[in-house]
């Protein structure tokens, strides 16, 4: 994913943020154990949101223990251990990273320092260890469809965003209990659409200069007016509202820190991430404004 899905720190207590880090570290530890040391380099904070959702609906007691790691060898870090949610997030991260890398190499977008053939070989072994073959095929299908749209320079933002939304919806819902699967799929779909559209909006100036594919450039031309920015922002907020509405259908009791972090990300973290679309937003910074919820 793209680094959009994080909590809004000013609204998170120190205790809840420590729990957030323990989930991240738990996913990292699970990746090292299940899919290999190298695979953990593909982990990003976005996947914590997936783990939080699965922790909440899983309803299991959470075990947190201190462990040392290569990144923090001197001081043990608190980590969520032996939890199906973090284990699943670890395996899904590897599948997504492998398929995204393969798609980028095919489209000539790979810009990393590691040779593409080497990176694919390393992640290929990790992907096999991850398993989840049906999910892997679904991710491949969605990314192939998305690549075809991008190569065809489809002008509509809805079609490519829908493809990425379906991809994330499938990841959120895979093998979830039937009572939770539909809501999880809709939340994942909403966040996936949000990520794709927000990334396209943020990349607008760069894509105008480079001539790279961007549906907003094809729709609005070389300049995004303030009215266009507000229209895009309103659409993105409404997309999050659809995800919120789906989440609210779940019969959940108090979900503790996981629930508070999940809602913080949905209500504040994601909306603040698109404050660059506000007319008076400083360049290179995100204007901080209060929110009472997803809906404006």
């Amino acid at each position: 994913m793209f680094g959009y899905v994080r909590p809004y720190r000013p609204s998170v207590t120190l205790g809840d943020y420590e729990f957030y880090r323990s989930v991240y570290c738990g996913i990292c530890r699970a990746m090292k154990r299940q899919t290999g040391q190298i695979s953990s380099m593909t982990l990003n904070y976005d996947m914590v949101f997936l783990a939080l959702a699965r922790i909440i609906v899983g309803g299991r007691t959470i075990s947190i223990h201190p462990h040392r790691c290569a990144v923090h060898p001197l001081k043990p870090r608190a980590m969520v251990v032996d939890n199906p949610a973090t284990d699943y997030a670890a395996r899904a991260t590897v599948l997504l990273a492998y398929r995204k890398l393969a798609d980028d190499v095919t489209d000539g977008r790979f810009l990393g320092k590691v040779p593409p053939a080497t990176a694919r070989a390393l992640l290929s072994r990790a992907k096999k260890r991850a398993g989840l073959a049906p999910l892997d095929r679904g991710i491949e299908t969605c990314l192939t469809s998305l690549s075809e749209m991008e190569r065809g320079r489809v002008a509509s933002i809805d079609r490519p965003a829908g493809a990425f939304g379906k991809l994330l919806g499938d990841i959120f819902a895979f093998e979830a209990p039937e009572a939770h699967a539909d809501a999880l799929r809709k939340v994942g779909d909403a966040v996936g659409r949000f990520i794709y559209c927000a990334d396209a909006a943020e990349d607008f100036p760069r894509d105008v200069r480079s001539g790279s594919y961007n549906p907003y450039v094809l729709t609005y031309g070389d300049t995004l007016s303030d009215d266009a920015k507000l229209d895009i922002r309103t659409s993105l907020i409404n997309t999050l509202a659809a995800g919120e509405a789906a989440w609210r259908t779940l019969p959940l009791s108090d979900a503790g820190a996981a629930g508070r972090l999940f809602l913080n990300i949905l209500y504040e973290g994601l909306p603040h991430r698109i404050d660059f679309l506000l007319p008076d937003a400083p360049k290179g910074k995100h204007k901080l404004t209060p929110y009472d919820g997803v809906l404006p």
Side-chain angles (χ1 to χ4, degrees), residues 98 101 115-126:
Y98 175 83
L101 172 62
T118 302
R120 290 184 70 176
L122 291 172
L123 279 181
S124 178
R125 290 194 289 271

Side-chain angles (χ1 to χ4, degrees), residues 273-295:
R273 188 61 180 80
I274 57 170
D275 279 348
F276 66 88
L277 291 169
L278 292 170
D280 58 345
K283 291 185 178 180
K285 298 181 180 179
H286 299 301
K287 180 180 170 64
L288 304 181
T289 54
Y291 288 90
D292 294 323
V294 168
L295 292 174

Side-chain angles (χ1 to χ4, degrees), residues 200-201 204-205 216-217 220-229 232 277:
F204 185 93
Y216 289 132
V217 176
Y220 294 106
D222 293 345
T223 304
L224 273 182
S225 67
D226 286 347
D227 286 344
K229 290 179 181 179
I232 293 170
L277 291 169

